[in-house]
Amino acid sequence: MTRLTVAQALVRFLAAQYTERDGVRQRLIAATWGIFGHGNVAGIGQALVEYAELMPYHQGRNEQAMVHAAVGHARQSRRLRAHAVTTSIGPGATNLVTGAALATINRLPVLLLPGDAFATRPADPVLQQLQVPYAGDVSVNDCLRPVSRYFDRIVRPEALIPAALEAMRVLTDPADTGAVTLALPQDVQVEAYDWPERFFAERTWRVRRPAPDEDELGAAAEAVGRAARPLIVAGGGVKYSGAEEALSDFAGRTGIPVASTQAGKGALPHDHPQDMGGIGHTGTAAADHLARTADLVIGVGTRWSDFTTASSTLFGHPGVRFVNLNVAAFDSHRMAALPLVADAREGLEQLHSLLEQHHVTAPYAHECAEEKLRWEARVRAAHAVPDETARPTQVQVLGVLDTLCTGDDILINAAGSLPGDLHKLWRTRSADQYHVEYGYSCMGYEIPAAVGVALAAPGRPVWALVGDGTYLMNPTEIVTAVQQRLPVKVVILQNHGYASIGGLSEAVGAERYGTDYRFRADDGSFTGPPLPVDLAANAASLGMRVLRARTVRDLREALAEARGATVPTCVYVETETADSVSGAPPAQAWWDVPVAETSTRPSAVKAREEYDRHVTARRRHL
């Protein structure tokens, strides 16, 4: 037996946990993020000092941002490594909720260790304690229950043993992972207990690769063999499985075209003959054309969000059927599909073995190739720069960055108009280059995620692409990057407002109300010049080196300089938005945002007429 406090025992336990997949073994909890206050400073904080040689520590500035950094690290690590995040009770704990939701929605592992109110209740209430008249055992940490894949409150020292083991099981589950919360009452954290030595022994959690059921595999192969116009839709499960090579071989040998979701983009490189680019509302014309005419759609590791399906209006073939290869049975039945519950790599390899002689028809293969060429021409036109001395559009910013990047670069984005432009236009060169968080599309994710990714991929150029709206949400982890000497590159695109939601507002008859960063007039409207806010100066004040770019030529030089920088560097550029939000090709498929059914304003009446026209194409796949 070893006598330790609960917090000390937890840190020692976490330091001894490992994952293993395909013979590769690595530390599971690579580090702990923390902001200390009453509720964790004397418990987890003291334990991290006690075992500093066992558990690396990262100092955060915002609790939500710490979770984003941990999620970025987990995604870059293909869910085989995770970080822990500890906070005080009260606002520190509730600030975790948004990050936890993001992690669980995206199925990415993160361990949350919020402090909690006293289990023994020596004083009631204590500072920051929530009082609920009908339940004495509720605290603010209960807000984390619906956004956690696993939740437990450790009210006795011995309860830590089963809870910690259950937490590791969920963190390493290939189908059912996400945020895991162990709420830790502050008095229990510092309570001593005699722990069995076995609790601290190294433990390896093998990440499974479930093989497909033979009957399901046979049915899927038969469906593919009968299809005249099959299409593969690659989701994030391809990447988390490491199934990119299996997908490339399967698509290359069969000739079946591949479209990708936001999470799946990069599963094939942009120059692979079968890669058709992004699919859905933010997808390419090539992918969406093939989706509309496909008679069989093979989903690999996708959960079929509304952006992917264009709110159930995209797959228009009257006889279209679906096959879903997914490690999560929960997702395998979506779209009334034939389920193929298995690890993506295992499923693709075994499906390929049954279809070795299968290939799409020559006319269909030719059609796919022509669609791909037409879209590539549109990408080149969007990136074209007729005047190097002009202010760039957002798409031209991406085009210039595209000329500088190699497969080593990693691009991070989450919200605004950039995800649509990137999904349509970015040319992925490696499987992990494209890092767009679109399951929760959380403003403020990019900068802290870049910190987490830089920790997971040292030496690689890591770019956080943010608009002014996103930057203002959460720039705090710039300080963390400076503190840890992480040479992340932050590109701030200044367009003076919520440009993406402004465009959506205009489309649904809300007339861009409340979306511009301008002075407010007496009549309530937002008019006049943009606010005199200098985000470049703000980034510099937080410790970043800042390069200002006023023209395309300036931008080209600044991005090249930033890419080679060894310190955190910001490129600030004011983009041209006179003609459109970004200069990208418009949406190639619809997205359902309900419009007011009745209004006295002509813009809303017109928007409703357009909405009624689109909604008639929606269908249930049965």
Side-chain angles (χ1 to χ4, degrees):
M1 295 289 189
T2 301
R3 191 162 182 80
L4 300 171
T5 68
V6 168
Q8 292 164 355
L10 178 58
V11 171
R12 274 195 56 183
F13 170 83
L14 294 178
Q17 307 306 302
Y18 291 81
T19 63
E20 183 177 303
R21 188 174 72 176
D22 302 333
V24 178
R25 185 173 181 263
Q26 53 193 310
R27 175 91 167 251
L28 171 55
I29 306 299
T32 295
W33 290 85
I35 296 175
F36 298 110
H38 93 96
N40 71 336
V41 65
I44 294 292
Q46 189 281 328
L48 288 171
V49 173
E50 187 96 10
Y51 296 112
E53 76 284 0
L54 295 179
M55 178 60 68
Y57 165 71
H58 300 306
Q59 185 182 64
R61 270 75 197 174
N62 174 283
E63 290 87 358
Q64 180 188 136
M66 291 194 298
V67 186
H68 292 337
V71 167
H73 187 277
R75 176 168 170 169
Q76 185 63 31
S77 304
R78 299 191 184 226
R79 304 195 298 194
L80 298 174
R81 289 185 295 173
H83 281 169
V85 177
T86 181
T87 73
S88 62
I89 74 170
T94 53
N95 281 351
L96 295 173
V97 173
T98 296
L102 182 148
T104 296
I105 286 170
N106 285 284
R107 320 266 173 93
L108 289 165
V110 59
L111 177 61
L112 308 180
L113 305 173
D116 211 330
F118 285 81
T120 53
R121 304 181 195 174
D124 193 19
V126 297
L127 178 66
Q128 299 178 327
Q129 180 179 339
L130 177 71
Q131 287 184 288
V132 180
Y134 63 82
D137 62 345
V138 171
S139 80
V140 296
N141 284 328
D142 288 275
C143 295
L144 288 160
R145 288 182 184 271
V147 293
S148 296
R149 196 61 76 182
Y150 177 77
F151 179 99
D152 203 348
R153 179 175 283 114
I154 312 303
V155 295
R156 292 283 305 159
E158 57 267 37
L160 177 65
I161 294 175
L165 292 171
E166 192 69 10
M168 298 305 105
R169 179 194 67 78
V170 176
L171 289 172
T172 57
D173 191 307
D176 200 29
T177 192
V180 169
T181 300
L182 297 181
L184 301 168
Q186 56 180 310
D187 51 346
V188 176
Q189 286 183 48
V190 300
E191 188 174 344
Y193 183 74
D194 293 321
W195 304 90
E197 280 296 327
R198 177 63 186 156
F199 186 56
F200 307 118
E202 288 191 358
R203 188 180 301 267
T204 301
W205 300 83
R206 289 181 173 81
V207 180
R208 303 184 302 279
R209 288 192 179 278
D213 173 82
E214 287 189 11
D215 290 340
E216 289 185 353
L217 183 67
E222 182 180 355
V224 176
R226 289 199 311 264
R229 299 180 62 84
L231 172 69
I232 295 171
V233 175
V238 175
K239 294 184 178 183
Y240 300 140
S241 169
E244 295 90 348
E245 185 176 347
L247 176 63
S248 178
D249 288 345
F250 181 72
R253 296 284 181 87
T254 62
I256 300 175
V258 177
S260 56
T261 69
Q262 286 280 12
K265 188 173 171 72
L268 293 182
H270 76 95
D271 55 358
H272 190 288
Q274 271 64 55
D275 180 61
M276 299 293 130
I279 191 171
H281 179 65
T282 54
T284 70
D288 286 351
H289 164 72
L290 296 176
R292 290 185 180 98
T293 58
D295 61 351
L296 180 73
V297 183
I298 308 161
V300 184
T302 177
R303 58 195 184 96
W304 296 112
S305 77
D306 63 339
F307 260 64
T308 300
T309 67
S311 299
S312 298
T313 65
L314 184 57
F315 302 102
H317 190 287
V320 65
R321 301 296 294 171
F322 295 81
V323 169
N324 283 344
L325 167 55
N326 204 299
V327 71
F330 177 73
D331 291 321
S332 67
H333 290 271
R334 295 184 186 274
M335 314 294 279
L338 288 172
L340 184 56
V341 181
D343 169 77
R345 194 187 74 180
E346 290 294 311
L348 282 169
E349 289 178 348
Q350 294 197 34
L351 191 60
H352 190 189
S353 69
L354 297 181
L355 294 165
E356 285 185 348
Q357 307 305 315
H358 180 77
H359 197 280
V360 300
T361 65
Y364 185 53
H366 178 74
E367 179 185 345
C368 294
E370 289 296 307
E371 290 289 340
K372 181 178 175 68
L373 288 173
R374 276 192 287 272
W375 184 256
E376 288 175 348
R378 293 186 70 178
V379 173
R380 290 192 297 272
H383 286 172
V385 179
D387 182 0
E388 288 275 328
T389 65
R391 179 190 295 177
T393 65
Q394 181 168 287
V395 164
Q396 288 169 343
V397 173
L398 299 181
V400 173
L401 186 59
D402 179 85
T403 66
L404 297 172
C405 287
T406 70
D408 283 342
D409 294 73
I410 303 168
L411 272 67
I412 301 170
N413 185 243
S417 56
L418 275 166
D421 293 353
L422 288 163
H423 199 206
K424 284 195 284 274
L425 302 174
W426 187 259
R427 297 173 171 128
T428 50
R429 294 164 173 81
S430 61
D432 62 353
Q433 179 177 81
Y434 189 88
H435 184 131
V436 173
E437 185 284 302
Y438 216 56
Y440 207 41
S441 187
C442 185
M443 295 177 73
Y445 171 80
E446 294 89 341
I447 294 173
V451 172
V453 169
L455 290 169
R460 294 180 62 179
V462 179
W463 301 86
L465 308 181
V466 299
D468 50 309
T470 288
Y471 179 85
L472 287 168
M473 288 278 183
N474 201 0
T476 57
E477 300 320 299
I478 285 175
V479 179
T480 303
V482 171
Q483 181 183 43
Q484 301 206 185
R485 298 182 176 87
L486 297 171
V488 297
K489 299 92 174 56
V490 176
V491 181
I492 302 176
L493 296 96
Q494 171 66 275
N495 52 31
H496 302 290
Y498 300 120
S500 174
I501 206 68
L504 178 61
S505 173
E506 187 172 47
V508 299
E511 303 175 28
R512 293 184 178 266
Y513 184 77
T515 62
D516 289 337
Y517 293 159
R518 298 180 185 275
F519 288 102
R520 184 165 187 158
D522 291 339
D523 64 359
S525 64
F526 295 87
T527 59
L531 296 175
V533 175
D534 191 340
L535 300 185
N538 180 264
S541 76
L542 297 177
M544 289 203 97
R545 180 185 179 205
V546 176
L547 306 172
R548 294 177 184 259
R550 292 177 173 80
T551 68
V552 175
R553 182 177 294 123
D554 294 343
L555 177 69
R556 203 178 300 280
E557 294 171 358
L559 290 174
E561 188 173 344
R563 189 175 186 274
T566 58
V567 296
T569 302
C570 170
V571 175
Y572 174 87
V573 57
E574 191 165 352
T575 57
E576 182 61 64
T577 59
D579 297 323
S580 68
V581 170
S582 66
Q588 304 298 304
W590 187 58
W591 181 45
D592 189 349
V593 177
V595 177
E597 195 167 0
T598 181
S599 174
T600 60
R601 301 186 70 83
S603 61
V605 172
K606 182 179 178 182
R608 181 66 195 198
E609 291 171 354
E610 185 71 6
Y611 178 83
D612 289 338
R613 183 178 68 83
H614 280 290
V615 80
T616 58
R618 189 162 54 201
R619 63 184 291 193
R620 301 283 187 185
H621 296 283
L622 299 171

